[in-house]
Amino acid sequence: MCSPEEAALLRLEEVFSATLARINSFVLQPLLEAAPEPSDPWGRECLQLLQQLHRSSQQLWEVTEESLHSLQKRLRHPDSISLESLLLLHSADRVLQVHLEYLESYTSCVAVQAFQKAVKRRREYWQGQRKALRQLLSGMNSEGSVGTALVQALRQPLTHHVQQYVFLLLSLGDTVGEHHPARELLVHAATVFGNLQSFMRQELDQAMATQALWHTLSSRLRDVLCIPAHRLLQDSQDIPVTVTPLRAERVLLFDDALVLLQGHSVYTFDLKLVWVEPGQDGCMFHLLTPEEEFSFCSKDPQGRVAWQWKVTQAVCQTLRGKRDFQVLGAGLEPSEPPTCRCGAYTFRAEGRFSQATYEGEWYWGRPHGKGTLKWPDGRNHVGDFCQGLEHGFGIRLVPQASEDKFDCYKCHWREGSMCGYGICEYSTSEVYKGYFQEGLRHGFGVLESTPQTPQPCRYTGHWERGQRSGYGIEEDGDRGERYIGMWQADQRHGPGVMVTQAGVCCQRTFQADKMVGPGVLLSEDDSLYEGTFTRDLTPMGKGKVTFPNGFTLEGSFGSGAGRGLHTQGVLDTAALPPDPGSTRKRQLGLGVFPVENRWQGVYGPFQDFVQAGCPGDLQEALLGFHVQSSRELRKSQEYLCCERTHPEDHAGRMEDILEELLQHRAPEALQQCLRKALNNSLHPLGKLLRTLMLTFQATYSGIGANKHLQGLAQEEVKQHAQELWAAYRGLLQVALQCKGQAPEEDEDAETRELHVHRLVLPLVLPSFYSELFTLYLLLHEREDSLYSQGIANLSLFPDTKLLEFLDVQKHLWPLKDLTLTTNQRYSLVRDKCFLSATECLQKMITTVDPREKLEVLERTYGEIEATVSRVLGQEHKLPMDDLLPLLIYVVSRAQIQHLGAEIHLIRDMMAPIHTGGLYDFLLTALESCYEHIQKEDMRLHRLPSR
């Protein structure tokens, strides 16, 4: 059977449903229909509130009807329909939400006096409805205003209804046992509507207090502050409080804002961005806002507690985004609002952020974390902030005067200015990739314009306070020349080398972008000019020309009356031909640009990173980041984003990197570890190598592929290998320190040299090999041409004729290796003798590692001796007199192209430890073969027809 409480609930729902229907018919619909469309904005606002109240009332009636039907079914079929099937029990939260929506709509109308204003527009109509209202509202005073009667007509049924809900649900709960299936639902529903009852009382009181507030304010202040969502929580006229340094005449605490009134001025502070300093005693407490700090002082500690408690809870409520039950009720423990928040704020004070709107994360009144800044002039900044300043990675767009043009900075920032690595794309189509300090280019960086610009240019080098300064490379695409040298204050200043697309190069001293003093000028035909010359590399003034044939011309040079060069001097035709090493192979820049100082701007940030202990959060700022393509650059501008490795991953990755270094310290394991690191663009060593590759290509590729720069290039590669080894050692020391282990002792120069040539140089040489070997090819082009001609002539000889021609002793000829057919003779067999040694030597060009090339040469020597020992039937060690002709034979049959370039690269890159050893001996023998094949008589003496 059903309980009396259930029957009482049924009657309660029937009464409330009928009341709501009458309210809709006699109050809300007439309010909406009888009144004309208001013409003023505030009247339209009130009309919208009444419309919303009507919709909420309709929803409340519908859910009441639904609850009524569930009760009716229960009463008709108590045996088949369980208690927990009642809507009030299984959907208590849904019923609650409908009540809250109605309550919010109603209190909004009350707070802004929407009923009174609606009645005022149709006063005569509502005077005639007093009798109908008196039927709805018991105890209505006939003297009271119709507006007040409307307020009571909508309030009284709701409060009575919720009160009865709580009473009947509690009573019903007492009638069921502890283990009844509906027990938990009943307790929950009673609790929910009990909270709603207290919350309604509070909300209604706040709405009435807010309504009363508007009568105490001027019309101007009322127009500014009267917002339907506002609810007055505290007024300084009720609990006096003074505010400093802004001496406000009145302080109003709303549920979403703190308002300070001073004369006709209104200062409004969003509670989402108000921080209350905790733990304060006495009569004073402090508030922080994004731009100001206030002290609130009350007359007594009780007043301070009341204000501080209410402000704190109002902040919590605002951050939660809704008005909670009993937020300002008595006896509750106050909750502390979070210090880290999200919000939007427009800065008003003068400064860099003036008029800018910041939206993002905050900490104690300052932007802190991720956020976005937008200025009225179109500037945007998206990135990381710390204590109110840009700090960390950020992207900034700065619009330019021309339409749809802007500068885009993707940089690391420190305390409000660009500091560390960044990529900047300018509206002029220039792109800068490099380092900044205090907002200016500083350190290493590359500034490049697109090829489509009228004067395409690229600078790779060092900067100081926004200007090119130190060692740098500039390529002028319009003039077809490259400058390699020193800079100061954005001008060429100090020693420099210029290389042109036509192959002409020079070395000269510059001062304030002008050439001063004598210099050296080398033309493509190997003519050498020593003296003064113009910016266009035309001899001018006193100088001396040394021609390739040895003739010299010394005197004064200048421009003639027409075109061409005018000279007056002495031509010496009796001079001996110059040494090729002094003119054709003359190297520029050696000793002028100390190799250890050239790229300190690249090494420096890595050294700073190591000295700081390799922190993951500084890895991008110090070692840079990579944007893969021009499409990614455009995307980053359009969407204010940058596709980078997540900075959060850097700390974990560095721990793994350091751990891996500790686990691979044995030589073989170490080289594999270094190879993996150098091939990884995200590894610190890999990043460093790629930057060094960029500088190398900027210097020696394209126009810079000039034979007179070979010396600079080869010593630069060696220096890079040394710096990379030092970088590895630095990382290793950090790894040991992190594990609490003792650091390794410093290496002596000999040990360091050995490790560099054995472990690092073979790994990094492939990264520079293309440009480096091209310089060797150009430098030894003439010798290689003679060598190639000699090889071509020697290839005409059959094997036995060539062995005879080279004066190889006949008892060393490997004739037993030759298999003849019936019609063949020994004298006609070609490319069969010493075949294993020939094939072995050909493998020299399959590797770029000098040590591996020397090992190939050693194996070739072994193959020659093995063949001779097999021919003689006993082990035989070849003396130099026998080895050289056999090696010449093998070299001529191997036909290695550019052997001169190969030999000299091996010689320059060979580890010093091999000097005077077997490898040095074998390389000297190969050089002798190379020189012997070049000789003039070798190409003309004894042709096969003879």
Side-chain angles (χ1 to χ4, degrees), residues 352-356 373-381 396:
R352 289 193 308 114
F353 291 175
S354 179
Q355 305 305 314
L373 267 174
K374 293 184 179 180
W375 283 265
D377 60 8
R379 287 177 294 158
N380 287 333
H381 183 96
R396 177 167 292 184

Side-chain angles (χ1 to χ4, degrees), residues 849-922:
D849 183 358
R851 180 181 175 85
E852 291 182 358
K853 290 178 182 290
L854 290 170
E855 290 173 350
V856 168
L857 185 57
E858 183 182 15
R859 289 197 298 272
T860 302
Y861 171 69
E863 289 291 338
I864 294 174
E865 280 200 336
T867 301
V868 170
S869 298
R870 190 175 64 255
V871 170
L872 299 178
Q874 60 181 2
E875 186 176 347
H876 182 75
K877 293 295 183 182
L878 289 169
M880 189 62 178
D881 291 342
D882 291 340
L883 172 63
L884 189 58
L886 288 174
L887 191 56
I888 294 175
Y889 172 87
V890 172
V891 170
S892 66
R893 287 301 192 236
Q895 297 187 358
I896 297 175
Q897 292 186 334
H898 314 300
L899 183 60
E902 293 277 4
I903 291 172
H904 285 87
L905 187 144
I906 296 171
R907 176 69 72 186
D908 290 341
M909 296 294 167
M910 185 173 67
I913 194 174
H914 298 312
T915 303
L918 175 62
Y919 285 160
D920 194 1
F921 164 74
L922 294 175

